[in-house]
Amino acid sequence: MAFAVDKRDIEFCLFEYLKMEDLFKTEKYADFDREAIEMVLDLTIKLATDKIAPLNIVMDREGIGFDKGKVTTPEGYKEAYQALCDAGLVAAAHNPEYGGMGLPHLMATAIGEIMSSASVAFAMNPGLGATAGEVIEVYGTEEMKKLYLEKLFTGEWGGTMCLTESGAGSAVGDLKTKAKKEGDHWLIEGEKIFISAGDHDLTDNIVHLVLARTEGAPKGIKGISLFAVPKVLVNDDGSLADANNVICGNIEHKMGIKGSPTCTMVFGADGPSHGWLIGEESKGIKYMFLMMNEARIGVGLQGQSTAAASYQEALQYAAERIQGVDIAKMKDVDAPRLPIIEHPDVRRMLLTMKAFTEGMRALLYSTAYFSDLMEVHEDENERKNYNSMMELMTPICKSYCSDYGFRMTELGIQILGGYGYTIEYPQEQYCRDAKIASIYEGTNGIQALDLIGRKMTAKGGLFFMTYLTRVNDFINSAKEHARLGEFAGKLEKARDSLVQVAMSVQQAGMSGDIYTPVLNATPFMDLFGTIVMAYHLLEMAVVADEKLEAIYAKAGAEDKEAQTKIIEENPEAKYYDGKLHSARFFIDAYLPHTMALAKTITSGNKSPLEIVF
Ligand SMILES: Cc1cc2nc3c(=O)[nH]c(=O)nc-3n(C[C@H](O)[C@H](O)[C@H](O)COP(=O)(O)OP(=O)(O)OC[C@H]3O[C@@H](n4cnc5c(N)ncnc54)[C@H](O)[C@@H]3O)c2cc1C
């Protein structure tokens, strides 16, 4: 099967749904136009198709090498990594002053989707370096910026985020890595586990962002500081000096993303590991959150993009695989054999994959667009609104898209039948690769707690109210829609149940029953995420409907027969009609699940707490 990207739907999201061109009217993005964006899109797709996708399977089969503390990547990895650096795609949305491309976050998200679709494991490496650089840009000293930034944004050096320790995973506040002051810098001592791209042979240096506790700092989150700890020390002129005693103790052997080195990193065991404080002491978690918010949207994107690759390949397979006959001709032994794409159950699975993939794409791209608008919108209130919506949507992007991304790859296997289960086809790898996204960057259980406990209640419920206003405005206008009004009515009912459930959970929490919100955090995430998806799919359908009607009008196609003919013959009409089906199908087949979730959440059942295991 050939790797494929749904360029048409990506373009729809960028230009027709979210109207990225409006950003080019702002000072920050005045240098860009649609032509330039199309060029970057084509370049990214070419790189992903020619260099990265073919490597994905090699990385999976060969994995990462580890011998005497040295981590090695499979053949072809370095070349592909260099091609990515040469194309300038490492830091797509980052500051051009330091070697970034300065594109909108929205466009960087599209680039991220294409790269991760080709290989999640590969795309992690450059992503980590760029985000580490961003933390340094915002909170680091001028000296740090001078020494590290350009190297990180151009991919010449790699970067990591070192939070996890054996006793501090979800509870990062329990970490034990120490930092002791020595002159103008610090000595770092401790062991971090599961560090992505902790060591490799792609770059001469790696800048580790390490969370550690300074001497005498309080216990818990509040006592944690953030340090830049380079693998190799850097002279004042930027040249490399001695190794910094940052040792890779081991690498993990994993279920998926086998092309991404997951390392145990030991600091200060074989001699001093020198680190430099980023920002102020004890504010490390706040700084790391800058990186984590972006990374959480990025991890949601890993789920979505793997599902997108899985869908594209399942679609190709289903059109080619001949098996069985039309159900209406079951008894006719001479009935023509059909490609499986003709069987209703396979069509149901394919449309499920299509609808989820497109809905998640719209959710992720919209959230990235909120990040752009919260920076460049001319109205201060609007900037605040976009910030509120970005905050609220971040855990949903991470959790919903990773969970459903994984589930969609499982459908990808199912569509291929027995072949889907074999290593002859990429579906089983997609499924294995996608699973990690629900675990790292804060497990989905922790994301659900973040949504229900922090984001829903933040600023007296402001984030939620801001988002609801947007959804309400849309529902109110879409209810009048001649062809889609019925679906807006269904969304309205689901929205009402979301509000009722949110209120009931909040009341339980306020009356001292803290366990009801905590126990129901995950079903609440599912309920909210499903409504967000329905909203995006329907909003896109309204845009698609208008375009389709224009095509019909131009062709003078007034009756159903003439319109069906146009859909069959005109690729644009087929595309817009497909968008309408995605929305209608999701709203009829999946939105009703929210009613069941609402019942679950408000049932008052506390068996998980009461059972004696
Ligand atoms: C391939 C891979 C790459 C990684 N890359 C990095 C990296 O680059 N940098 C880094 O710092 N870390 C990294 N990690 C670590 C990752 O972020 C952690 O695995 C994750 O945060 C969960 O921590 P844990 O594994 O200790 O699980 P635990 O914290 O032990 O969680 C186990 C289960 O308990 C649940 N749980 C735990 N505490 C609570 C709670 N308070 N309330 C409700 N449920 C709870 C969790 O949701 C989960 O289901 C990586 C991990 C892997 C596997």
Side-chain angles (χ1 to χ4, degrees), residues 161 163-164 169-170 194-196 254 262 436 439-440 443 449:
M161 49 199 295
L163 290 83
T164 308
S170 300
F194 293 157
I195 303 307
S196 298
K254 314 186 293 286
T262 308
I436 185 59
I439 296 170
Y440 56 21
T443 62
L449 290 175

Side-chain angles (χ1 to χ4, degrees), residues 596-607:
L597 286 164
K599 285 207 162 165
T600 303
I601 298 167
T602 51
S603 70
N605 185 292
K606 292 222 172 63
S607 292

Side-chain angles (χ1 to χ4, degrees), residues 124 128 160-171 192-197 252 254 256-257 260-262 288 436 439-446 449 518:
M124 281 172 74
L128 279 158
T160 70
M161 49 199 295
C162 298
L163 290 83
T164 308
E165 298 179 8
S166 59
S170 300
K192 297 284 178 181
I193 62 164
F194 293 157
I195 303 307
S196 298
E252 302 297 336
K254 314 186 293 286
I257 58 162
S260 168
T262 308
M288 202 59 133
I436 185 59
I439 296 170
Y440 56 21
E441 268 324 306
T443 62
N444 283 2
I446 299 294
L449 290 175
V518 167

Side-chain angles (χ1 to χ4, degrees), residues 222-501:
K222 289 196 175 130
I224 296 174
S225 304
L226 182 62
F227 299 87
V229 187
K231 173 180 169 178
V232 183
L233 292 166
V234 186
N235 294 316
D236 288 347
D237 64 358
S239 59
L240 293 180
D242 296 334
N244 192 20
N245 297 305
V246 179
I247 310 290
C248 176
N250 204 354
I251 60 167
E252 302 297 336
H253 299 281
K254 314 186 293 286
M255 168 182 177
I257 58 162
K258 294 184 188 213
S260 168
T262 308
C263 308
T264 298
M265 300 305 301
V266 187
F267 297 88
D270 280 0
S273 284
H274 303 269
W276 282 264
L277 181 69
I278 295 178
E280 292 172 39
E281 236 179 283
S282 295
K283 294 210 171 142
I285 286 289
K286 179 184 154 196
Y287 303 151
M288 202 59 133
F289 255 97
L290 176 85
M291 196 167 174
M292 285 195 293
N293 271 340
E294 207 160 286
R296 282 176 179 173
I297 298 173
V299 170
L301 197 62
Q302 292 183 342
Q304 183 274 341
S305 59
T306 315
S310 173
Y311 168 58
Q312 290 299 320
E313 300 201 13
L315 193 59
Q316 289 175 46
Y317 183 89
E320 287 166 19
R321 166 77 172 162
I322 307 292
Q323 197 71 193
V325 297
D326 186 331
I327 185 96
K329 297 179 184 158
M330 246 173 77
K331 292 193 180 144
D332 176 1
V333 287
D334 294 322
R337 269 47 197 161
L338 295 178
I340 59 169
I341 200 166
E342 298 300 335
H343 298 310
D345 191 52
V346 175
R347 297 177 78 82
R348 178 192 59 78
M349 290 191 280
L350 285 169
L351 186 50
T352 301
M353 291 185 84
K354 172 174 160 26
F356 271 91
T357 305
E358 291 174 3
M360 292 189 289
R361 178 177 292 125
L363 161 61
L364 291 155
Y365 284 29
S366 298
T367 308
Y369 197 41
F370 295 160
S371 317
D372 289 320
L373 292 169
M374 74 191 210
E375 283 176 13
V376 301
H377 202 284
E378 56 197 15
D379 183 322
E380 193 189 340
N381 267 338
E382 284 296 300
R383 288 203 296 276
K384 284 185 186 156
N385 288 343
Y386 285 117
N387 181 53
S388 296
M389 293 193 288
M390 191 275 293
E391 287 281 351
L392 185 70
M393 286 300 114
T394 298
I396 300 181
C397 283
K398 194 289 181 178
S399 186
Y400 194 90
C401 297
S402 58
D403 272 342
Y404 282 93
F406 173 67
R407 285 172 206 168
M408 292 308 115
T409 62
E410 193 247 322
L411 273 186
I413 295 177
Q414 195 66 19
I415 290 169
L416 268 71
Y419 287 113
Y421 196 67
T422 69
I423 60 168
E424 231 173 289
Y425 287 86
Q427 295 291 353
E428 60 84 34
Q429 185 189 345
Y430 288 141
C431 192
R432 287 186 287 106
D433 284 351
K435 182 58 208 159
I436 185 59
S438 66
I439 296 170
Y440 56 21
E441 268 324 306
T443 62
N444 283 2
I446 299 294
Q447 300 302 316
L449 290 175
D450 181 45
L451 176 67
I452 210 164
R454 267 181 5 105
K455 300 294 170 68
M456 290 295 291
T457 55
K459 302 193 176 176
L462 176 76
F463 295 174
F464 186 50
M465 294 314 295
T466 308
Y467 190 74
L468 265 190
T469 306
R470 184 183 175 95
V471 174
N472 291 348
D473 288 349
F474 167 69
I475 290 174
N476 290 339
S477 73
K479 267 198 312 188
E480 309 302 322
H481 197 284
R483 288 164 297 280
L484 295 166
E486 170 200 347
F487 295 91
K490 292 175 185 176
L491 179 60
E492 185 176 37
K493 278 203 185 117
R495 186 271 328 263
D496 290 345
S497 86
L498 169 69
V499 173
Q500 278 163 14
V501 168

Side-chain angles (χ1 to χ4, degrees), residues 72-303:
T72 48
T73 52
E75 207 184 318
Y77 204 136
K78 273 187 206 163
E79 190 200 339
Y81 180 78
Q82 195 51 51
L84 182 88
C85 298
D86 294 345
L89 290 173
V90 170
H94 297 79
N95 194 343
E97 206 186 310
Y98 297 107
M101 231 187 216
L103 287 162
H105 290 101
L106 173 55
M107 181 57 191
T109 305
I111 294 172
E113 179 192 334
I114 297 162
M115 293 292 179
S116 288
S117 244
S119 171
V120 172
F122 178 88
M124 281 172 74
N125 242 331
L128 279 158
T131 349
E134 195 178 346
V135 174
I136 291 175
E137 184 181 357
V138 179
Y139 298 111
T141 60
E142 284 309 312
E143 184 66 9
M144 275 179 202
K145 288 185 213 173
K146 197 178 92 195
L147 290 182
Y148 301 141
L149 264 195
E150 196 166 331
K151 300 261 197 312
L152 286 169
F153 284 170
T154 55
E156 192 178 334
W157 292 353
T160 70
M161 49 199 295
C162 298
L163 290 83
T164 308
E165 298 179 8
S166 59
S170 300
V172 70
D174 290 344
L175 65 81
K176 292 202 162 50
T177 296
K178 291 185 288 192
K180 192 173 161 202
K181 187 123 210 243
E182 191 185 75
D184 68 342
H185 67 283
W186 301 72
L187 299 182
I188 310 296
E189 211 181 303
E191 186 175 291
K192 297 284 178 181
I193 62 164
F194 293 157
I195 303 307
S196 298
D199 200 24
H200 50 75
D201 55 3
L202 300 174
T203 58
D204 294 337
N205 205 359
I206 299 171
V207 182
H208 302 282
L209 295 195
V210 182
L211 285 181
R213 204 179 296 284
T214 55
E215 279 182 307
K219 277 189 174 173
I221 294 277
K222 289 196 175 130
I224 296 174
S225 304
L226 182 62
F227 299 87
V229 187
K231 173 180 169 178
V232 183
L233 292 166
V234 186
N235 294 316
D236 288 347
D237 64 358
S239 59
L240 293 180
D242 296 334
N244 192 20
N245 297 305
V246 179
I247 310 290
C248 176
N250 204 354
I251 60 167
E252 302 297 336
H253 299 281
K254 314 186 293 286
M255 168 182 177
I257 58 162
K258 294 184 188 213
S260 168
T262 308
C263 308
T264 298
M265 300 305 301
V266 187
F267 297 88
D270 280 0
S273 284
H274 303 269
W276 282 264
L277 181 69
I278 295 178
E280 292 172 39
E281 236 179 283
S282 295
K283 294 210 171 142
I285 286 289
K286 179 184 154 196
Y287 303 151
M288 202 59 133
F289 255 97
L290 176 85
M291 196 167 174
M292 285 195 293
N293 271 340
E294 207 160 286
R296 282 176 179 173
I297 298 173
V299 170
L301 197 62
Q302 292 183 342

